């Protein structure tokens, strides 16, 4: 399995930006679909964004469309989540996950076999 490590979280004021990184080791990320999920205190884990391997579509949950951008650098074996115009409701632990293969739909959490430990994002008002 591929091992994933997130970084880039922190404390930011509303309206600010952060870029999260999801670095992989053990295997190349090229054959995987990568997803970002988040879990806010007292809430269920929520899908945020997903990117397939080269040439495929990306997907976003409605609440982050136009503000977040998912991208990948296969040469660096890393996936990024650029988060702009952050809101207090974006506060959560963000985790990346890897699902083997190509998905032409939003993959379910159960499709992702490898998960990182998460990074905390806190947006102050």
């Amino acid at each position: 399995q591929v091992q994933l490590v997130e970084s880039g979280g922190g404390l930011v004021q509303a309206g600010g930006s952060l870029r999260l990184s999801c670095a992989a080791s053990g295997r190349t990320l090229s054959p995987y679909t990568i997803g970002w999920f988040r879990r806010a205190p007292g809430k269920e884990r929520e899908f945020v964004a997903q990117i397939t391997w080269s040439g495929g579509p990306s997907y976003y949950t409605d609440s982050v469309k136009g503000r977040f951008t998912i991208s990948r650098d296969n040469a660096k074996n890393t996936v990024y989540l650029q988060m702009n115009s952050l809101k207090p409701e974006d506060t959560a632990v963000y985790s990346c996950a890897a699902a083997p293969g190509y998905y032409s739909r939003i993959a379910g959490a159960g499709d992702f076999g490898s998960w990182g430990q998460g990074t905390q994002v806190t947006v102050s008002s």
Side-chain angles (χ1 to χ4, degrees), residues 99-118:
Y102 175 93
Y103 285 81
S104 58
R105 57 170 174 82
I106 295 177
D111 294 318
F112 293 90
S114 301
W115 292 80
Q117 292 299 308

